[in-house]
Amino acid sequence: MTDVATPDSNSWPDERSAPAPQDDQVDDTSAEPDTAWRTRRTLDAEATDETVLGAWLGAGLDDAAPDADALPTPAEPVDWRTLSADDARTEWQSLDTFVRWLRTTYGLPPAILPPLWHRHPELVWELSALHTHWLACYEPGSSGSGPIAWHADFADARERLREWVSTSGTHADRDRPTRISTWPGEPPTPSGEERPILDRDADFAAFVEADVQARHSTHEAVHPVDTPIAQRHAPGGS
């Protein structure tokens, strides 16, 4: 089974289809993602070429430790349960940009990457891990074998995404919250109603704003696993 969808089946609701490239145009889909989602990279190219290299060479020559501020900061995983409101807003935008690049670059169909992935925590955690893994593999100074390792792990991630999407209840044109089984002694978990997806971008913006406001209002250092990120109900839902 191939992961590549036809152009007609690979558009999200209220999204314009990209025009097909002309014969004299270069297909640039293999270019690396927009740098907007590299917000957790704290070292730019100039610092890598000059400051860091100089610090490393200097340390080797005079046995002095390099400046800690000049060393690259490795990509770190995102714990969505503990993010502050401001950090959450930044990470949501960063992850969304990465997911958009991932979908269009690799032609991922809704069966693997649906429009409302942000409302399903199992998809959020998987995609966030894939994002961090990409950053680690493509950081300056990373191993040359990093990219091929990322693609190998990406193949495994696609299979997990496909399985979760098939049981989550989300589709290209409609969505419902992922159903959670009730254990003995627990109160029933509301299943949530299926609803059509009319405008994916508007839904994402509303979702992020609600998540940020929830984090502001709780003022907790560590959020319980069931709030707010694990609650992916539609606005107004219970």
Side-chain angles (χ1 to χ4, degrees):
M1 180 181 296
T2 179
D3 291 336
V4 179
T6 61
D8 289 342
S9 65
N10 201 31
S11 296
W12 285 350
D14 200 36
E15 180 180 60
R16 295 182 179 178
S17 300
Q22 302 299 319
D23 292 338
D24 59 346
Q25 291 181 331
V26 177
D27 183 0
D28 194 32
T29 57
S30 61
E32 77 171 29
D34 190 290
T35 55
W37 53 265
R38 295 171 176 263
T39 54
R40 283 178 286 124
R41 296 183 59 173
T42 59
L43 191 69
D44 60 21
E46 293 182 358
T48 302
D49 293 341
E50 301 174 5
T51 311
V52 175
L53 182 58
W56 288 345
L57 292 177
L61 293 174
D62 57 15
D63 295 327
D67 183 357
D69 292 336
L71 296 178
T73 300
E76 297 180 351
V78 178
D79 187 348
W80 293 90
R81 302 169 302 168
T82 62
L83 289 177
S84 68
D86 291 340
D87 287 344
R89 187 186 297 277
T90 298
E91 293 296 344
W92 278 122
Q93 297 299 334
S94 179
L95 182 58
D96 184 54
T97 305
F98 171 75
V99 170
R100 286 175 177 274
W101 170 82
L102 196 71
R103 178 178 68 96
T104 56
T105 299
Y106 294 94
L108 301 180
I112 293 177
L113 196 49
L116 298 195
W117 57 267
H118 51 277
R119 290 192 176 273
H120 297 268
E122 67 273 35
L123 304 183
V124 171
W125 287 100
E126 180 75 35
L127 292 168
S128 181
L130 199 61
H131 180 201
T132 301
H133 190 18
W134 199 100
L135 291 172
C137 288
Y138 284 86
E139 286 282 357
S142 299
S143 169
S145 61
I148 197 64
W150 182 87
H151 280 87
D153 292 333
F154 179 37
D156 293 337
R158 291 200 304 274
E159 292 307 310
R160 290 193 297 270
L161 287 166
R162 187 190 299 278
E163 179 181 357
W164 282 327
V165 170
S166 68
T167 59
S168 67
T170 188
H171 303 276
D173 58 350
R174 62 193 188 280
D175 178 78
R176 65 165 171 78
T178 300
R179 289 175 179 166
I180 303 173
S181 59
T182 301
W183 285 354
E186 291 182 338
T189 302
S191 59
E193 297 295 329
E194 185 174 82
R195 63 190 180 96
I197 304 174
L198 303 178
D199 188 330
R200 184 268 167 190
D201 289 349
D203 186 276
F204 179 78
F207 170 81
V208 171
E209 191 60 32
D211 182 72
V212 169
Q213 292 304 317
R215 294 174 190 271
H216 271 306
S217 63
T218 57
H219 295 94
E220 293 179 355
V222 177
H223 298 276
V225 296
D226 60 339
T227 57
I229 189 172
Q231 294 182 344
R232 296 292 173 246
H233 302 296
S238 58

